[in-house]
Amino acid sequence: MPLVQPEIRSASQPCEGADLVLDAFLRHRVRHVFIFPGGTIAPILDRIEKRSKIEIVCPRTEQGAGYAALGYARMTGETAVFMVTSGPGVTNAVTPIADAYYDNIPLVVITGQVGTADMRGDLPVRQRGFQEVDTVELMKPITKRAFQVRDIRELPDVMEQAFFLARSGRPGPVVVDLPMNVQRGIADDWRAPAKRTDVLPFVPADKIETLAQWISGASRPVILAGGGVIGANAHQELRALADQYRIPVTMSMPGMGAYPSRASLSLGLCGYAGSQYANLAMYKCDLLIGVGTTFHLRQTGSLPDRTVEKGRIARVDLDVNELRHSRVPLDLEINADAKAALAALDRALHDAPKPDTAAWLNRIEGWKATYPLLTGRPGKLPKPQTVIEAVNKAAQDKKVIVTTGVGQHQVWVPRHFDFDVPDRVLLTSSGHGTMGFDLPAAIGAKIARPEATVICFVGDGSLQMNIQELATIVERKLDIKIVVLDNHALSIVAQFQRQNWKSHPATGDKYNPDFAAIALAYGIAAVSITSQEDIAAKLAPALKQKGPILIHCHVDPEEDLLPMLLGGHTLDDMSHESSF
Ligand SMILES: Cc1ncc(C[n+]2csc(CCOP(=O)(O)OP(=O)(O)O)c2C)c(N)n1
């Protein structure tokens, strides 16, 4: 939606530092900023209000604003802007910024700072300014770059660099720390910044040729698609490769939807919480092709040298350091953008004989029949897996964005809900695994895509990390469906504790409030689901209702995440044993 923006000054007219920040927002066509206010970002808020049509989105905490920004960036494909005040605003913002770093989300973060005269500098004291904190040092390990601007003349170029770096190569967060006197000072000698353009690495033709030969000669190939496929907008190229050459596709958590869950060649989620059939296929393949994936512990288990029993591993990644320091030993490293590499691979395969994968696909069908996804033990209480399947069914022909918290429910969602980018998208905190991502990420996603059905699956534990954002949903009239899977436990940790130590201190048997009543108190419609029959009777009508709704599902607390790949085991050897 193009927005008519007021003038962007290019000539060197005297102005305040805050104006130069706004100029950068306008140059980069920012339409929303996600903020939590405070004195040290007030000058920029004033400029936004007076000089632009940019909408200020103000959730109830910095975490709420940060995760809303992340959901927004993922769903618009644009760099999101996140602004917080100095001191506690900054420290509260650390977690979503780390999330953006580990999950490659382009984010420009503006942090307020005390004036340069009030800074501690190198003095051996704790603090000089009120709400002073060393933002740059705090942010360095979780950002692509953390700037502090002390000279107003540097501001235009630093802002340009921040927007450039956030998107270039492997995207991520960039922080710009702005002392009060820089925001409020007058710049009468500034220059319009130079524009920067991103250059992607050359696709290495010789390596693509080798991979094409390997594919052509493979009898048991598997593709492992990661979030990099979705980030590079390469899902169509990936589908063409898999479908044309009949190669089954498994996905990491951030890669879910890169290939349609429902397609016959789909193996769904792999790894510690994947299916036994996906993991068997990875383990028994003769060629594993990783595209835009880190071969993280969660995908391979704790024995990276034994990811594949006997076969080659090829990996396409934009980040050369990931290839140089791969956890999993590689037979072929291709440093390239996923879209460009898959397009080149398609050309290289054009005249090559197609691999014969029929016997391999038959074998996989056998595994699918032997190890179907489990939908819970029999019993009266609703099963979390059944609830997710019922929501999936009710939302079958809709464009859906799903967000989750972290826990068992986070893993049941990719197992039991169908994803298919760009129509059915999963937003979840992958690398950082942050409880509380759920509700605010749904807010950002709904602001980005008002026409989409946004569903937030959330555990009782995760919900309580950012439950205050129910207010933002009401305030902004956002039609979000919140499905609370309440098992009165921090269940995934409880399961881990029982598996190792036979009890679950601090994580089981939690007292919870009536979340439906809480939603009603905020002004959000709510229903409670307490039996299997309720799922059939109440769920679909609740989802059909217009406007936000919270569906409080009292699910079986004795449901384990099974099967699960435990530490010290290879991918063919998942545990099917209950911890109760
Ligand atoms: C901010 C944060 N703190 C702690 C953890 C550790 N942790 C991971 S999952 C989990 C329990 C989640 O409980 P809930 O949201 O109810 O999900 P469930 O496992 O019951 O589905 C905890 C405590 C975390 N991931 N994030």
Coordinates of all heavy atoms in Angstrom, one line a residue, residues 181-229:
N181 N 21.2 14.9 23.1 CA 21.7 16.1 22.5 C 21.9 15.9 21.0 O 21.9 16.9 20.2 CB 22.9 16.6 23.2 CG 24.1 15.6 23.2 OD1 23.8 14.4 23.4 ND2 25.3 16.0 23.0
V182 N 22.1 14.7 20.5 CA 22.2 14.5 19.1 C 20.8 14.6 18.5 O 20.6 15.2 17.4 CB 22.8 13.1 18.8 CG1 22.8 12.8 17.3 CG2 24.3 13.1 19.3
Q183 N 19.8 14.0 19.1 CA 18.4 14.1 18.6 C 17.9 15.5 18.6 O 17.1 15.9 17.7 CB 17.4 13.3 19.5 CG 17.6 11.8 19.5 CD 16.6 11.1 20.3 OE1 15.4 11.3 20.3 NE2 17.1 10.2 21.2
R184 N 18.3 16.3 19.6 CA 17.7 17.6 19.7 C 18.6 18.7 19.2 O 18.2 19.9 19.0 CB 17.4 17.9 21.2 CG 16.5 16.9 21.8 CD 15.8 17.4 23.0 NE 14.7 18.4 22.7 CZ 14.0 19.0 23.6 NH1 14.2 18.8 24.9 NH2 13.1 19.9 23.2
G185 N 19.8 18.4 18.8 CA 20.8 19.4 18.3 C 20.4 19.8 16.9 O 19.6 19.1 16.2
I186 N 20.9 20.9 16.5 CA 20.7 21.5 15.2 C 21.8 21.1 14.3 O 23.0 21.3 14.5 CB 20.5 23.0 15.2 CG1 19.4 23.4 16.2 CG2 20.3 23.6 13.8 CD1 18.0 23.1 15.7
A187 N 21.4 20.5 13.1 CA 22.4 20.1 12.1 C 22.3 21.2 11.0 O 21.3 21.3 10.4 CB 22.1 18.8 11.6
D188 N 23.4 21.9 10.8 CA 23.3 22.9 9.7 C 24.4 22.6 8.7 O 24.6 23.3 7.7 CB 23.5 24.4 10.2 CG 24.6 24.5 11.2 OD1 25.4 23.6 11.2 OD2 24.6 25.5 11.9
D189 N 25.1 21.5 8.9 CA 26.1 21.1 8.0 C 26.1 19.6 7.8 O 27.0 18.9 8.2 CB 27.5 21.6 8.6 CG 28.6 21.2 7.7 OD1 28.4 20.9 6.5 OD2 29.8 21.0 8.3
W190 N 25.0 19.2 7.2 CA 24.9 17.7 7.0 C 24.8 17.4 5.5 O 24.4 18.3 4.7 CB 23.7 17.1 7.7 CG 22.4 17.7 7.4 CD1 21.9 18.9 7.8 CD2 21.5 17.2 6.4 NE1 20.7 19.2 7.2 CE2 20.4 18.1 6.4 CE3 21.4 16.1 5.6 CZ2 19.3 17.9 5.5 CZ3 20.3 15.9 4.8 CH2 19.3 16.8 4.8
R191 N 25.1 16.2 5.1 CA 25.1 15.8 3.7 C 24.1 14.7 3.5 O 24.0 13.8 4.4 CB 26.5 15.4 3.3 CG 27.0 16.3 2.2 CD 28.4 16.0 1.8 NE 29.3 16.7 2.7 CZ 30.6 16.3 2.9 NH1 31.0 15.2 2.4 NH2 31.3 17.1 3.7
A192 N 23.4 14.7 2.4 CA 22.5 13.5 2.1 C 23.4 12.3 2.0 O 24.5 12.3 1.4 CB 21.8 13.8 0.8
P193 N 22.9 11.2 2.5 CA 23.8 10.0 2.5 C 23.9 9.3 1.2 O 23.0 9.4 0.4 CB 23.0 9.0 3.5 CG 21.6 9.5 3.4 CD 21.6 11.0 3.2
A194 N 25.0 8.6 1.0 CA 25.1 7.9 -0.3 C 24.3 6.6 -0.2 O 24.2 6.0 0.8 CB 26.6 7.5 -0.4
K195 N 23.7 6.3 -1.3 CA 22.9 5.0 -1.4 C 23.8 3.8 -1.5 O 24.8 3.9 -2.1 CB 21.9 5.1 -2.6 CG 20.6 5.7 -2.3 CD 19.5 5.0 -3.1 CE 18.2 5.2 -2.7 NZ 17.4 5.4 -1.8
R196 N 23.4 2.7 -0.8 CA 24.2 1.5 -0.9 C 23.4 0.4 -1.6 O 22.2 0.3 -1.4 CB 24.6 1.1 0.5 CG 25.6 2.0 1.1 CD 25.7 1.7 2.6 NE 26.9 2.4 3.2 CZ 26.9 3.7 3.6 NH1 25.8 4.4 3.4 NH2 27.9 4.2 4.1
T197 N 24.1 -0.4 -2.3 CA 23.3 -1.5 -3.0 C 24.0 -2.9 -2.5 O 25.2 -3.0 -2.4 CB 23.3 -1.4 -4.5 OG1 24.5 -0.9 -4.9 CG2 22.2 -0.6 -5.0
D198 N 23.1 -3.9 -2.4 CA 23.6 -5.2 -1.9 C 24.1 -6.0 -3.1 O 23.6 -5.9 -4.2 CB 22.4 -5.9 -1.3 CG 22.8 -7.1 -0.4 OD1 24.0 -7.2 -0.2 OD2 21.9 -7.9 0.0
V199 N 25.2 -6.7 -2.8 CA 25.7 -7.6 -3.9 C 25.7 -9.0 -3.3 O 26.3 -9.3 -2.3 CB 27.1 -7.2 -4.2 CG1 27.6 -8.1 -5.4 CG2 27.2 -5.8 -4.6
L200 N 25.0 -9.9 -4.0 CA 24.9 -11.3 -3.6 C 26.1 -12.1 -4.1 O 26.6 -11.7 -5.2 CB 23.6 -12.0 -4.1 CG 22.3 -11.5 -3.4 CD1 21.1 -12.0 -4.1 CD2 22.3 -11.8 -1.9
P201 N 26.6 -13.1 -3.4 CA 27.7 -13.8 -3.9 C 27.4 -14.5 -5.3 O 26.3 -14.9 -5.5 CB 28.0 -14.9 -2.8 CG 26.8 -14.9 -2.0 CD 26.1 -13.7 -2.1
F202 N 28.4 -14.6 -6.1 CA 28.3 -15.4 -7.4 C 27.9 -16.8 -7.1 O 28.4 -17.4 -6.2 CB 29.6 -15.4 -8.1 CG 29.8 -14.3 -9.1 CD1 30.8 -13.4 -9.0 CD2 28.9 -14.2 -10.2 CE1 30.9 -12.4 -9.9 CE2 29.0 -13.2 -11.1 CZ 30.0 -12.3 -11.0
V203 N 27.0 -17.3 -7.9 CA 26.7 -18.8 -7.8 C 27.8 -19.6 -8.4 O 28.1 -19.4 -9.6 CB 25.4 -19.1 -8.5 CG1 25.0 -20.5 -8.3 CG2 24.2 -18.2 -7.9
P204 N 28.5 -20.4 -7.6 CA 29.7 -21.1 -8.2 C 29.2 -22.2 -9.2 O 28.7 -23.3 -8.7 CB 30.4 -21.7 -7.0 CG 29.3 -21.8 -5.9 CD 28.3 -20.8 -6.2
A205 N 29.4 -22.0 -10.5 CA 28.9 -22.9 -11.5 C 29.4 -24.3 -11.4 O 28.7 -25.3 -11.6 CB 29.2 -22.3 -12.9
D206 N 30.7 -24.4 -11.0 CA 31.3 -25.8 -11.0 C 30.7 -26.6 -9.9 O 30.4 -27.8 -10.0 CB 32.8 -25.7 -10.8 CG 33.2 -24.8 -9.6 OD1 32.4 -23.9 -9.2 OD2 34.3 -24.9 -9.0
K207 N 30.4 -26.0 -8.7 CA 29.8 -26.7 -7.6 C 28.3 -27.1 -7.9 O 27.8 -28.1 -7.5 CB 29.9 -25.9 -6.3 CG 31.3 -25.7 -5.9 CD 31.4 -25.1 -4.5 CE 32.8 -25.1 -4.0 NZ 33.0 -24.6 -2.7
I208 N 27.6 -26.2 -8.6 CA 26.3 -26.5 -9.0 C 26.3 -27.7 -9.9 O 25.4 -28.6 -9.8 CB 25.6 -25.2 -9.7 CG1 25.4 -24.1 -8.7 CG2 24.3 -25.6 -10.4 CD1 24.3 -24.3 -7.6
E209 N 27.2 -27.7 -10.8 CA 27.4 -28.8 -11.8 C 27.6 -30.1 -11.0 O 27.0 -31.1 -11.3 CB 28.5 -28.5 -12.7 CG 28.7 -29.5 -13.9 CD 27.4 -29.6 -14.7 OE1 26.8 -28.5 -15.0 OE2 27.0 -30.7 -15.0
T210 N 28.5 -30.1 -10.0 CA 28.7 -31.3 -9.2 C 27.4 -31.7 -8.5 O 27.1 -32.9 -8.5 CB 29.8 -31.0 -8.1 OG1 30.9 -30.5 -8.8 CG2 30.1 -32.2 -7.3
L211 N 26.7 -30.8 -7.9 CA 25.4 -31.2 -7.2 C 24.4 -31.8 -8.2 O 23.8 -32.7 -7.9 CB 24.8 -29.9 -6.5 CG 23.6 -30.2 -5.7 CD1 23.8 -31.3 -4.7 CD2 23.1 -28.9 -5.0
A212 N 24.4 -31.2 -9.4 CA 23.5 -31.7 -10.4 C 23.8 -33.2 -10.8 O 23.0 -34.0 -10.9 CB 23.5 -30.9 -11.7
Q213 N 25.1 -33.4 -10.9 CA 25.6 -34.8 -11.2 C 25.2 -35.8 -10.0 O 24.7 -36.9 -10.2 CB 27.1 -34.9 -11.4 CG 27.4 -34.4 -12.8 CD 28.9 -34.2 -12.9 OE1 29.7 -34.7 -12.1 NE2 29.4 -33.5 -13.9
W214 N 25.4 -35.3 -8.8 CA 25.1 -36.1 -7.6 C 23.6 -36.4 -7.6 O 23.2 -37.5 -7.3 CB 25.5 -35.4 -6.3 CG 27.0 -35.3 -6.1 CD1 27.9 -35.8 -7.0 CD2 27.6 -34.8 -5.0 NE1 29.2 -35.6 -6.4 CE2 29.0 -35.0 -5.2 CE3 27.2 -34.2 -3.8 CZ2 30.0 -34.6 -4.3 CZ3 28.2 -33.8 -2.8 CH2 29.6 -34.0 -3.1
I215 N 22.8 -35.4 -7.9 CA 21.3 -35.6 -7.9 C 20.9 -36.6 -8.9 O 20.1 -37.5 -8.7 CB 20.5 -34.2 -8.1 CG1 20.7 -33.3 -6.9 CG2 19.1 -34.5 -8.4 CD1 20.1 -31.9 -7.0
S216 N 21.5 -36.4 -10.1 CA 21.2 -37.3 -11.2 C 21.5 -38.8 -10.9 O 20.8 -39.7 -11.3 CB 22.0 -36.8 -12.4 OG 21.6 -37.4 -13.5
G217 N 22.6 -39.0 -10.1 CA 23.0 -40.3 -9.8 C 22.5 -40.9 -8.5 O 22.7 -42.0 -8.1
A218 N 21.7 -40.0 -7.8 CA 21.2 -40.5 -6.4 C 20.1 -41.4 -6.6 O 19.3 -41.3 -7.5 CB 20.8 -39.3 -5.6
S219 N 20.0 -42.4 -5.6 CA 18.8 -43.2 -5.6 C 17.9 -42.9 -4.4 O 16.8 -43.3 -4.3 CB 19.1 -44.7 -5.7 OG 20.1 -45.0 -4.8
R220 N 18.5 -42.2 -3.4 CA 17.8 -42.0 -2.1 C 18.0 -40.5 -1.7 O 18.5 -40.2 -0.6 CB 18.2 -42.9 -1.0 CG 18.1 -44.4 -1.3 CD 18.3 -45.3 -0.1 NE 19.6 -45.0 0.6 CZ 20.8 -45.4 0.2 NH1 20.9 -46.1 -0.9 NH2 21.9 -45.1 0.9
P221 N 17.7 -39.5 -2.5 CA 18.0 -38.1 -2.2 C 16.9 -37.6 -1.2 O 15.7 -38.0 -1.3 CB 17.9 -37.4 -3.5 CG 17.0 -38.2 -4.3 CD 17.1 -39.7 -3.9
V222 N 17.3 -36.6 -0.4 CA 16.3 -35.9 0.5 C 16.8 -34.4 0.5 O 18.0 -34.1 0.5 CB 16.3 -36.4 1.9 CG1 15.6 -35.5 2.8 CG2 15.7 -37.8 2.0
I223 N 15.8 -33.5 0.4 CA 16.1 -32.1 0.6 C 15.7 -31.7 2.0 O 14.6 -32.1 2.4 CB 15.3 -31.2 -0.5 CG1 15.7 -31.6 -1.9 CG2 15.5 -29.7 -0.2 CD1 14.8 -30.9 -3.0
L224 N 16.6 -31.0 2.6 CA 16.2 -30.3 3.9 C 16.1 -28.8 3.7 O 17.1 -28.2 3.4 CB 17.3 -30.7 5.0 CG 17.2 -29.9 6.3 CD1 15.9 -29.9 6.9 CD2 18.3 -30.4 7.3
A225 N 14.9 -28.3 3.7 CA 14.7 -26.9 3.5 C 14.6 -26.1 4.8 O 13.8 -26.5 5.7 CB 13.4 -26.7 2.7
G226 N 15.3 -25.0 4.8 CA 15.3 -24.2 6.1 C 14.7 -22.9 5.8 O 14.2 -22.6 4.7
G227 N 14.7 -22.0 6.9 CA 14.1 -20.7 6.8 C 14.7 -19.9 5.7 O 14.1 -18.9 5.2
G228 N 16.0 -20.2 5.3 CA 16.6 -19.4 4.2 C 15.9 -19.6 2.9 O 16.0 -18.7 2.0
V229 N 15.2 -20.7 2.7 CA 14.4 -20.8 1.4 C 13.3 -19.8 1.4 O 13.0 -19.1 0.4 CB 13.8 -22.3 1.3 CG1 12.9 -22.4 0.1 CG2 14.9 -23.3 1.2

